Structures are given as C-alpha cells and as structure tokens.
C-alpha cells in the first residue's frame, strides 16, 4: 500500500504578515526580494499601450469635428426656423391689422351712397334757396343739410374714409374710371376735367372709383 501524502493547510503556506516580520521591524531577506519581484512585475506600461494613445487622440479630434458640424447645422436650422416664425408672426399681425382697418369696407361702400344722396339734396336745396327766393323754411332746410353733410364728412375722416378730389390731376386707373372725354380748354390733355361721381378711399385703399371726364385735344387742333 502506497504511503498517504499530506497536503499542507493554506495558513501554513502563507503565514500572516505579523508572524513573518520579527519584532525588530526588519523584514527578512526573502520578503524584500518578493517585494522587488512584485515591483518588477508592475513596471511601466506595455509599449503597445503607448502606441494606442495617438489613435485615441485622433478619434477624439474626429469626433469633436463631427460634433462641431452638428452644432453648426443645428444652429443654422434654428436660425431658419426663427426667421420663418418671425415672418409668420408679421404676416399674421398684418392680417389682423388689415381686418381691423378694412373690416368696415363693405359698410363704407353703402354709407358713401347715402352721402351722395345727401350731397345732391343739399345742392338742390341751395339752388332753390337763392336770394331771389325769400322762403325762410327752404333756407333753413339747406342750412341743416349743409351741417349734416359737413358732420358726415368729419365722421368719415375720423375713421379713415376720405373723398377724392381729382379735378385737375392726372388720370389714375387705380383710382378713376373714365366715363367721358371733354375738350381740353385751358387744361393739359390727359388731366381730369370733371367728376360725375365722387370716389372714396379707406385708409389709402380705393373702395370706390371716381367717375371722371378726361380732357382731350379738340378735333380742330388734331
């Protein structure tokens, strides 16, 4: 029968540090040799690891460049989006302002027709209330109509509605509509000689064209 082998206990293989170092504070020679051997094993980094650092730096630089490009792209998109948003805001604001200004445009077109009737009535009353006709009632009616007409034009002006006065001016197809031609007697051809119906503008926008007669050269001068 072969003899049994005895395996040493782990504590016997690795004695505690306190028992390895004597009370004098000096480690035995074997311990210093082991430390030097351990220090040699944990020496400087592998030369292959040092060669990896330049590659890592280049990778970081490339990544930084890509990030900068992304930042520039996002900044440009943000600026475009901001500009588009500002344009939309301005258009919306202009639309709201126009709605406030010209929301009464249809009403004004109807109202100027009432002003036409009032003006014609006042002119008719003025023809009847001549000095040769001493009728006091008719004179009072004419004066009352004149006051109403003046007040109505004042209200028109307050709300941006103004009557055109194109006589003597140049013909403008955006403001005037030609209904007849008259001989240019003392007037430059192409100018407006008379108005058969007043035109009106609301805040500078023509809501009713003026019906006008334009001066032309007479046939004798052609």
């Amino acid at each position: 029968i072969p003899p049994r082998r005895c395996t040493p206990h782990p504590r016997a293989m690795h004695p505690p540090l306190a028992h390895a170092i004597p009370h004098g504070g000096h480690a035995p020679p074997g311990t210093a040799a082991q430390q030097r051997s351990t220090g040699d094993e944990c020496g400087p980094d592998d030369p292959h690891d040092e060669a990896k650092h330049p590659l890592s730096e280049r990778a970081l630089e490339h990544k930084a460049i890509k990030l900068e490009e992304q930042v520039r792209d996002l900044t440009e998109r943000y600026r475009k989006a901001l500009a588009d948003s500002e344009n939309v805001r301005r258009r919306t604001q202009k639309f709201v302002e126009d709605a406030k200004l010209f929301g009464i445009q249809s009403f004004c077109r109807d109202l100027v027709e009432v002003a036409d009737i009032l003006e014609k009535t006042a002119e008719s009353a003025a023809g009847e209330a001549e000095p040769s006709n001493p009728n006091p009632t008719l004179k009072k009616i004419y004066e009352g109509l004149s006051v109403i007409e003046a007040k109505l034009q004042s209200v028109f002006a307050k709300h941006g509605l103004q009557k055109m006065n194109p006589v003597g001016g140049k013909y403008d197809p955006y403001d005037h509509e030609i209904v007849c031609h008259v001989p240019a007697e003392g007037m430059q051809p192409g100018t407006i000689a008379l108005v058969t119906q007043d035109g009106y503008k609301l805040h500078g926008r023509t809501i009713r064209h003026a019906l006008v007669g334009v001066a032309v050269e007479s046939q004798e001068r052609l």
Side-chain angles (χ1 to χ4, degrees), residues 125-139:
E128 295 293 333
E130 292 180 352
S132 58
N133 188 357
N135 190 339
T137 303
L138 190 60
K139 184 178 180 181

Side-chain angles (χ1 to χ4, degrees), residues 73-89:
D73 182 58
L74 291 175
T75 303
E76 186 65 23
R77 290 184 181 182
Y78 170 74
R79 290 176 179 175
K80 289 181 179 180
L82 190 63
D84 292 341
S85 176
E86 182 65 18
N87 291 334
V88 171
R89 187 191 67 81

Side-chain angles (χ1 to χ4, degrees), residues 74-214:
L74 291 175
T75 303
E76 186 65 23
R77 290 184 181 182
Y78 170 74
R79 290 176 179 175
K80 289 181 179 180
L82 190 63
D84 292 341
S85 176
E86 182 65 18
N87 291 334
V88 171
R89 187 191 67 81
R90 290 179 180 178
R91 285 196 296 267
T92 304
Q93 184 178 1
K94 183 68 166 56
F95 177 79
V96 172
E97 291 176 355
D98 289 347
K100 291 180 180 179
L101 291 176
F102 304 108
I104 60 173
Q105 181 171 312
S106 179
F107 174 72
C108 289
R109 287 198 186 100
D110 296 334
L111 197 59
V112 295
E113 294 181 1
V114 177
D116 292 341
I117 297 173
L118 183 60
E119 183 179 1
K120 291 179 180 179
T121 304
E123 290 177 354
S124 178
E128 295 293 333
E130 292 180 352
S132 58
N133 188 357
N135 190 339
T137 303
L138 190 60
K139 184 178 180 181
K140 289 182 180 180
I141 292 175
Y142 166 70
E143 291 176 352
L145 290 173
S146 299
V147 172
I148 294 172
E149 183 182 7
K151 181 62 177 178
L152 185 61
Q153 292 298 326
S154 175
V155 173
F156 285 176
K158 180 180 178 181
H159 294 279
L161 183 62
Q162 294 181 343
K163 182 194 295 186
M164 300 182 194
N165 186 21
V167 176
K170 288 291 184 180
Y171 166 74
D172 187 350
Y174 294 102
D175 296 334
H176 314 132
E177 182 179 347
I178 299 175
V179 294
C180 63
H181 292 88
V182 297
E185 298 177 356
M187 298 185 68
Q188 190 73 19
T191 58
I192 298 174
L194 57 90
V195 177
T196 61
Q197 186 183 67
D198 292 323
Y200 282 86
K201 287 186 176 184
L202 179 63
H203 297 289
R205 177 186 294 181
T206 300
I207 64 170
R208 191 177 79 172
H209 289 71
L211 304 182
V212 300
V214 179

Side-chain angles (χ1 to χ4, degrees), residues 17 20-21 25-43:
L17 184 61
I21 301 175
H26 299 283
T31 304
Q34 292 177 359
Q35 292 178 353
R36 285 195 300 270
S37 175
T38 305
D40 293 339
E41 292 177 358
C42 302

